[in-house]
């Protein structure tokens, strides 16, 4: 794949995020270089790759938690890392984050966890905060669980509660870091279904870091593959199409067909799953 090439997508929507020639590292160590891609408004966009390739670091750059060494990240027409701090904070309030472990406050109920961003960033009354928290929990399939504590619910429910909190401020973009990690296949499937439902019903854009093939083939409309050896994007596009394309770079093909006897065993479209 040409390093200047951008992922192709069937969507006609204008990009909600544009990344151009991004280089990221720690001190003199370059983790990835010349990364470019677009995320459309209706995308469920997957960042894929093996361990140590920089998936989570790239997500931190997109979220505003780590500054790149060079390159640009645009939210719409705004250069995120070139704008002033106030504008950057405004842009960040249009995003939500689901961390890998859920990151719920154990001493707070689910309603209190979800209501916390609303208390911090809105002028809603306590009653209105409670009402909105209940609404977001209901969207995540947790109606009636407002007064439960994180320790009183399952791991899959904690992930959904974390997603409800990420939705608290009605973000345009949701960043999810390994959302299926630690979940059983049934809970993972329910979370995948919820992601697609939220994309379709709310118009939310998802950017997801994942190595779980079942989830990748189920939810992804577009993706990039980060190669740890070359430290570049070596494949881009819909994973269900990439796995069938004979021109897909070898490392990306191996990633997408691991556990399958051959490439033909991988899903032909986004309706199939690999739960093995």
């Amino acid at each position: 794949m040409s390093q200047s090439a951008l992922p192709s997508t069937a969507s006609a929507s204008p990009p909600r995020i544009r990344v151009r020639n991004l280089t990221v590292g720690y001190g003199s160590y370059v983790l990835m270089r010349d990364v470019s891609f677009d995320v459309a408004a209706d995308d469920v966009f997957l960042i894929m790759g093996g361990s140590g390739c920089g998936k989570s670091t790239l997500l931190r750059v997109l979220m505003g938690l780590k500054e790149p060494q060079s390159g640009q990240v645009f939210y719409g027409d705004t250069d995120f890392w070139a704008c002033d701090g106030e504008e950057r904070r405004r842009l960040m309030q249009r995003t939500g984050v689901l961390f890998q472990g859920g990151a719920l406050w154990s001493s707070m109920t689910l309603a209190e966890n979800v209501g916390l961003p609303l208390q911090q960033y809105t002028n809603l009354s306590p009653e209105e905060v409670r009402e909105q928290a209940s609404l977001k929990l209901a969207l995540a399939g947790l109606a009636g669980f407002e007064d439960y504590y994180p320790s009183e619910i399952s791991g899959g429910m904690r992930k959904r509660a974390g997603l409800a909190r990420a939705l608290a401020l009605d973000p345009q973009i949701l960043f999810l870091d390994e959302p299926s990690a630690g979940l059983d296949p049934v809970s993972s499937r329910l979370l995948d279904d919820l992601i697609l439902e939220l994309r379709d019903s709310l118009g939310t854009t998802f950017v997801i870091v994942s190595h779980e093939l079942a989830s990748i083939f189920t939810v992804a409309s577009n993706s990039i593959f980060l190669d740890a050896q070359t430290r570049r994007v070596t494949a881009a596009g819909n994973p269900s199409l990439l796995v069938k394309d004979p021109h897909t770079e070898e490392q990306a093909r191996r990633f997408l067909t691991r556990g399958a006897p051959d490439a033909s065993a991988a899903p032909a479209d986004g309706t199939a799953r690999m739960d093995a």
Side-chain angles (χ1 to χ4, degrees), residues 125-140:
S125 69
E127 293 77 14
E128 291 170 325
V129 168
R130 172 79 179 194
E131 180 181 347
Q132 286 297 309
S134 295
L135 173 61
K136 296 307 189 294
L137 286 167
L139 284 174

Side-chain angles (χ1 to χ4, degrees), residues 36-86:
S36 295
F37 59 88
D38 287 346
V39 180
D42 57 355
D43 262 341
V44 177
F45 192 96
L46 265 290
I47 300 173
M48 310 183 298
S51 298
C53 69
K55 301 186 298 295
S56 293
T57 300
L58 176 56
L59 196 68
R60 288 171 59 84
V61 172
L62 299 180
M63 290 161 46
L65 299 179
K66 177 173 175 57
E67 188 170 359
Q69 293 181 337
S70 63
Q72 297 169 295
V73 176
F74 292 93
Y75 280 78
D77 294 325
T78 304
D79 189 337
F80 181 80
W81 287 105
C83 64
D84 60 41
E86 183 60 32

Side-chain angles (χ1 to χ4, degrees), residues 238-253:
N238 187 309
S240 296
L241 299 179
L242 287 175
V243 77
K244 296 293 184 181
D245 187 345
H247 299 102
T248 297
E249 186 269 340
E250 181 62 24
Q251 289 296 327
R253 177 178 294 279

